[in-house]
Amino acid sequence: MPATIGLGATGENVKRVQRALARQLLWNPFGPITGVYDATLEASVKLVQQGAGLPVTGTVDAATWAALPAYKEASPTLRTGDTGPVVAWLQQALKGQDIQIQFTPYAGAIDGIFGPLTETAVRALQTWTGATPDGIVSDNTWFTWMAPGSAQQLTLEAACGLLHGIGP
């Protein structure tokens, strides 16, 4: 069981809480996964605690860890040169065929190869969201919203289907 954490804590356990809440759209999905337990995260934890009938302390203790969604680990970090199904899912999501996107879409084949066209589309998404356009898909890119303000509001991670069948 992870350690008890609260306001001011930093590190991987804080990132796990941030991911778990962001995946349920219970914590600032536009915000980066920073690993810093700040007041916004504390407020979200309190809402989870209240909803679960737990003492509303804002501190993530054993009972709160148990109440959080099960999937707290990071989705894979992807970059130029990576290959496989998750890259193909990323390409499909970045093409914008399934959702309405507001950035320059991926223009290549769905081939599962993270090449220059995939990197260009990732950078376009990152630039559009105000993130550092490094072309690497890590927590901060997975948790950007693809079409904010629309009925299709979902994160890149969810648009890729990485969370199907995971959780309670």
Side-chain angles (χ1 to χ4, degrees):
M1 180 63 64
T4 297
I5 57 173
L7 194 59
T10 60
E12 285 304 311
N13 283 332
V14 177
K15 287 182 179 183
R16 287 182 178 98
V17 172
Q18 290 173 325
R19 285 184 204 110
L21 296 179
R23 285 182 174 120
Q24 299 297 311
L25 305 181
L26 299 173
W27 179 74
N28 191 7
F30 279 110
I33 305 298
T34 61
V36 177
Y37 201 117
D38 62 11
T40 63
L41 185 60
E42 181 185 49
S44 294
V45 168
K46 286 180 177 180
L47 289 173
V48 168
Q49 290 171 328
Q50 183 178 16
L54 299 171
V56 181
T57 64
T59 299
V60 181
D61 56 13
T64 306
W65 278 112
L68 291 174
Y71 188 56
K72 301 169 189 76
E73 300 308 314
S75 285
T77 298
L78 301 175
R79 58 179 50 87
T80 299
D82 287 339
T83 61
V86 71
V87 175
W89 299 330
L90 172 68
Q91 291 168 330
Q92 180 67 34
L94 292 173
K95 238 184 196 335
Q97 294 175 333
D98 299 329
I99 60 171
Q100 179 183 354
I101 59 174
Q102 300 172 10
F103 57 92
T104 305
Y106 172 67
I110 307 299
D111 59 8
I113 301 169
F114 198 123
L117 292 176
T118 306
E119 182 179 342
T120 297
V122 169
R123 287 179 187 271
L125 170 64
Q126 292 168 330
T127 299
W128 175 71
T129 63
T132 301
D134 60 8
I136 298 170
V137 183
S138 60
D139 269 342
N140 292 336
T141 303
W142 285 124
F143 287 100
T144 58
W145 279 15
M146 296 292 290
S150 75
Q152 299 170 321
Q153 237 165 285
L154 75 162
T155 64
L156 175 61
E157 183 183 59
C160 288
L162 295 181
L163 303 179
H164 291 300
I166 296 175

